Amino acid sequence: MRVVVLALLLPLGCVEIQASILPQHAIAVSELEAKADQALPQERCFLYAELVSRMTDIAGLQFGTGDLVAGEETLKLVQQYALKLQASIGDDSKKLKLAETLLHRTSFRLEGILHEASYENRSALEMTLKQVDNVQTQLMMQVFKK
């Protein structure tokens, strides 16, 4: 009987823990955003890739806790950062391979979120995934160009 009660309460505890993590992520993201906006042009690419990755994690937490509206808003931010990332790709960019690898992992996480998402959220997730995949391909082409 105790095992059943614990098994039922454990997911609730995870949701509570995840919800308490969100404000910490928001602070770290705002600091990283300020750093990326003020960084040298050759450093922005990796910093925006980091922002795309972190915002995807936050969106996953939001969708996982049932906050679908906030999850979709976060996906819009992911798309904005992906556009900034795309604009910052250049021959002189540092850490291109790391940024490409980070986006590859981010794409994988977005696919996982997509598989668990409700029908209403699928279009926003698919659009974000397509955009991240597109930028990741551009980064990969830039890495092989060097």
Side-chain angles (χ1 to χ4, degrees):
M1 181 68 173
R2 287 183 185 173
V3 175
V4 174
V5 172
L6 182 59
L8 292 174
L9 292 178
L10 186 59
L12 295 175
C14 292
V15 169
E16 189 174 305
I17 290 170
Q18 289 176 348
S20 69
I21 291 173
L22 287 176
Q24 295 169 349
H25 279 294
I27 293 168
V29 166
S30 63
E31 290 172 0
L32 185 58
E33 181 180 20
K35 184 177 177 181
D37 289 340
Q38 297 172 357
L40 296 173
Q42 63 266 27
E43 296 173 352
R44 286 186 185 145
C45 180
F46 177 75
L47 293 172
Y48 283 127
E50 183 70 28
L51 275 168
V52 167
S53 176
R54 288 187 187 185
M55 294 305 289
T56 299
D57 290 341
I58 291 172
L61 287 172
Q62 290 168 330
F63 282 115
T65 59
D67 194 354
L68 306 180
V69 174
E72 285 203 18
E73 290 298 317
T74 303
L75 287 178
K76 289 178 185 176
L77 290 173
V78 169
Q79 293 171 9
Q80 289 175 7
Y81 291 133
L83 286 174
K84 288 183 177 185
L85 168 59
Q86 192 171 21
S88 69
I89 299 172
D91 290 333
D92 63 343
S93 296
K94 294 182 179 179
K95 301 181 181 178
L96 280 176
K97 180 60 182 163
L98 290 174
E100 188 273 328
T101 302
L102 193 57
L103 282 188
H104 180 74
R105 291 179 184 151
T106 301
S107 178
F108 185 75
R109 285 194 308 273
L110 279 169
E111 287 177 8
I113 297 168
L114 178 64
H115 290 297
E116 296 178 6
S118 65
Y119 179 76
E120 297 84 30
N121 303 111
R122 291 183 81 67
S123 64
L125 281 159
E126 287 170 346
M127 189 168 48
T128 305
L129 178 61
K130 184 177 178 180
Q131 186 178 15
V132 168
D133 283 343
N134 197 13
V135 174
Q136 190 246 338
T137 301
Q138 288 180 351
L139 276 170
M140 186 170 42
M141 297 304 290
Q142 190 69 26
V143 167
F144 287 122
K145 183 179 171 184
K146 285 192 168 192

